Amino acid sequence: VFFALGYREAFIVGMAVVITLAITLFASWAWGFTLNRVSLFALIFSIGILVDDAIVVVENIHRHMQMGGKKLLEAIPAAVDEVGGPTILATFTVIAALLPMAFVTGLMGPYMSPIPINASIGMLISLAVAFVVTPWMSNVVLKNAPVHAHSEESSGLYRLFERGVGPFLREREGSGKRRMLGMAVLALIIASVGLVAVKVVVLKMLPFDNKSEFQVVVDMPEGVSVERSARVVAELGEYLSSVPEVSDYQAYAGTAAPINFNGLVRQYYLREGANVADIQVNLVHKSERERKSHEIALAVRGPLQAIGEKYGANVKVVEVPPGPPVQSPLVAEVYGLDYEGQIRVAKELRSVFAETADIVDIDDSIEDEAPKRLVEVDQGKAALLGVSQQAIVGALATVLSGEDTSYLHGAGVKFPLPIRLEFPVADKASLDAALRLRLRASDGALVPLSELVVVREAVRERAIYHKDLLPVVYVTGDMAGDLDSPLYGMLDMVDTLGEREFAHGEPLAQSFISPPENPYDYSTKWDGEWQVTYETFRDMGIAYGVGLIMIYLLVVAQFRSYVVPLIIMAPIPLTIIGVMPGHALLGMQFTATSMIGMIALAGIIVRNSILLVDFINQQVNEGMDFEKAVINSGAVRAKPIVLTGVAAMLGAFFILDDPIFSGLAVSLIFGILVSTVLTLVVIPVMYYAFMYKRLDTLREA
């Protein structure tokens, strides 16, 4: 604003932003929002659009002053009145685009709700400030401002639009050029969407954040000793200590690490047993390292898994999930007629995971067969020797678990100290040592336990997992590679499963949204990040559709036409031409925050169309030639349109380096840049093509 209009106008707009943000902060507090990462980014995102109303009003006051012929007190009401209707309508179109996002369900709803609510409240406040504070400040600040009166038709912008847009407006002479323009725009939209199809732009729920930690989860075969698990962890830790970005680590064998976010959402805090281990890896501060935490995790995964393979351990490198709390990024739930059959199908499915490129950290819920020894009392021998069954069981329990046989009472001790009998840990590893223990028979002789019992070899029972009362086997994995999005790994496996026959003689039935209709047929239900991604984008798509309908109804009410609103909303698809190539240019993934940016763009871009069409109608009603009015609208409204667009882009620049919200910034920056330029050409041309025949008919009538 400083460079386009002057320092006085810039001061007015700046004060409007400060006042609007201050009231918005108060409204956020009253609503119950805390100051956190999401709510603060909502305010930063809002700055770019909260300034729009003030810029439009101040620019039009500045324009009326330059036109001359009026005192400032006369020019201000006329200027505000001229842009009042379209500004009110444009503000409500932005709210209509944003507010439905507050009703997104599932996990992402509460997470993202501060953005639509804060921005909508801020837009209402900015509208009030633009109509109350801005005119008053304009009267105070611009009172002694110098006025350089000039004709709008002599401006450079008018000549630019006359040369650039004029050839498309000449009734039948320009019809061919209008068709070529439409085809070119349509081709650009198709090419932009095609970037997703050819995987130049990758779809993902949320990108990885640059955290200061990650976790190494170790699963040994069931039945191994905790000492063996500790040995694996020690060797893994030795390698981790050689990684320059690792500051320290804590290792846990036989138990879980203290609860953290992963422990909460993936239930790692419930892990226990001699065969489980955990390493919490802490990194140096991100300012002291060049690689992000995700790059470090990718680099160490291979060496860590190689160490684990030597000991038969399954080693997984688990990062803190950026958003959706799921069991694992890739989850396949296997259902079927019997649990043993489910296990067989799950093992085949796991092989498909292993054969698919870039699928890592593969695991399942199937427990390895662990040996078990059943010690049965030979009741005949025990009865002949006069040894009770209770004595035999008690002796074994004392050997393995320990027993307090007496208490030591000391003079200076408040409580008695128990005297506990128990075998040393090393002796517990051998059942033969326990069976050499002697018990006293009825005749006083000492009889070893081995003569009183029979030992049978058996296998431990496996745990059976259930979901919605149905037995289920889980196969899990993650995606690491160039695409780095579990969605693409899942799609590759879906194609493979459709062509592959399983042990039951036919391809595995697959479901994606709801559990299988017949759980007694062998089938799989895809879950994990896919489920959260589907629900989030489904709800956001519905919110987008509701927003478009609300915008259409608002514009219909203003212009009293069912076709003109379609022309005004035409720039919305143009945002894709900026959004998708922008993500491709910066090598970024299209995420849920990118989708929020696209939804916000719908309201922001429609504002520009409203300003253009409303000004064309005003000038035609004042008697100006239609073709000249179309050119003049572009020349006059280009400055506020570009200023508001640049303001929104500048607001987005400050969140461009954030790993999570960078998608929102890219959508806004590139979407506004491209669609604003195209809007200044496409909307005047489309409106002219639709209206010039009707105006000719009206004139003849």
Side-chain angles (χ1 to χ4, degrees), residues 122-457:
M123 288 302 297
L124 289 173
I125 294 168
S126 72
L127 183 65
V129 170
F131 285 161
V132 177
V133 178
T134 302
W136 171 77
M137 287 192 67
S138 298
N139 184 47
V140 173
V141 176
L142 301 179
K143 188 176 293 182
N144 299 317
V147 177
H148 305 287
H150 66 273
S151 169
E152 290 174 346
E153 294 181 16
S154 62
S155 67
L157 279 174
Y158 185 89
R159 291 192 294 273
L160 177 65
F161 274 87
E162 192 174 29
R163 290 197 211 99
V165 179
F168 296 97
L169 305 181
R170 292 163 191 163
E171 296 191 2
R172 290 178 176 78
E173 296 175 20
S175 61
K177 293 180 180 179
R178 289 196 291 270
R179 288 194 196 95
M180 289 180 63
L181 177 65
M183 291 172 63
V185 170
L186 185 62
L188 287 172
I189 293 173
I190 294 171
S192 300
V193 175
L195 294 175
V196 176
V198 297
K199 300 179 184 178
V200 174
V201 176
V202 175
L203 301 178
K204 195 175 189 291
M205 183 63 201
L206 284 174
F208 282 106
D209 202 350
N210 189 11
K211 295 289 187 182
S212 60
E213 60 178 301
F214 62 85
Q215 208 166 344
V216 179
V217 177
V218 182
D219 289 305
M220 299 288 287
E222 277 74 9
V224 304
S225 64
V226 71
E227 289 82 6
R228 189 174 175 190
S229 300
R231 183 180 174 186
V232 177
V233 167
E235 194 166 334
L236 294 172
E238 189 177 343
Y239 167 75
L240 288 170
S241 62
S242 67
V243 178
E245 292 91 348
V246 174
S247 64
D248 56 80
Y249 66 89
Q250 300 93 41
Y252 304 86
T255 185
I259 190 168
N260 54 15
F261 188 65
N262 270 326
L264 179 68
V265 303
R266 298 184 176 180
Q267 300 183 351
Y268 288 163
Y269 73 99
L270 296 175
R271 288 162 48 86
E272 61 178 352
N275 65 309
V276 302
D278 211 330
I279 304 176
Q280 178 68 36
V281 184
N282 300 317
L283 306 174
V284 298
H285 192 268
K286 57 187 178 183
S287 61
E288 300 175 23
R289 51 184 163 90
E290 294 182 0
R291 293 192 294 179
K292 294 182 179 180
S293 60
H294 181 56
E295 297 174 52
I296 299 167
L298 287 175
V300 302
R301 178 178 276 111
L304 290 176
Q305 290 179 340
I307 294 170
E309 284 176 7
K310 293 192 300 182
Y311 300 95
N314 186 3
V315 178
K316 292 174 283 188
V317 178
V318 183
E319 300 177 63
V320 179
V326 292
Q327 180 183 352
S328 188
L330 283 167
V331 178
E333 301 169 355
V334 180
Y335 297 91
L337 184 61
D338 63 289
Y339 201 68
E340 290 302 319
Q342 288 175 241
I343 289 174
R344 290 193 298 272
V345 171
K347 287 182 177 179
E348 288 188 68
L349 182 57
R350 179 168 177 165
S351 68
V352 175
F353 271 68
E355 293 164 6
T356 306
D358 297 332
I359 302 294
V360 296
D361 292 347
I362 303 166
D363 201 359
D364 54 48
S365 60
I366 304 168
E367 296 179 352
D368 289 328
E369 290 188 350
K372 178 172 71 171
R373 289 180 177 178
L374 298 176
V375 180
E376 296 181 351
V377 178
D378 189 331
Q379 296 183 9
K381 283 186 179 181
L384 286 172
L385 294 171
V387 181
S388 68
Q389 187 168 325
Q390 182 182 356
I392 296 171
V393 174
L396 274 175
T398 301
V399 165
L400 299 175
S401 302
E403 181 184 357
D404 296 339
T405 58
S406 184
Y407 293 90
L408 182 66
H409 298 272
V413 181
K414 184 176 182 180
F415 298 102
L417 298 174
I419 300 172
R420 188 170 187 82
L421 294 180
E422 187 175 350
F423 261 28
V425 174
D427 290 341
K428 289 182 186 179
S430 171
L431 183 60
D432 293 337
L435 295 180
R436 284 196 293 269
L437 182 71
R438 295 170 180 266
L439 296 180
R440 192 172 295 280
S442 58
D443 61 358
L446 293 174
V447 182
L449 273 174
S450 58
E451 294 186 10
L452 301 171
V453 299
V454 177
V455 179
R456 287 196 301 107
E457 299 291 335

Side-chain angles (χ1 to χ4, degrees), residues 554-566:
L554 285 168
V555 180
V556 166
Q558 172 70 18
F559 290 94
R560 299 181 182 182
S561 168
Y562 292 107
V563 180
V564 171
L566 296 176

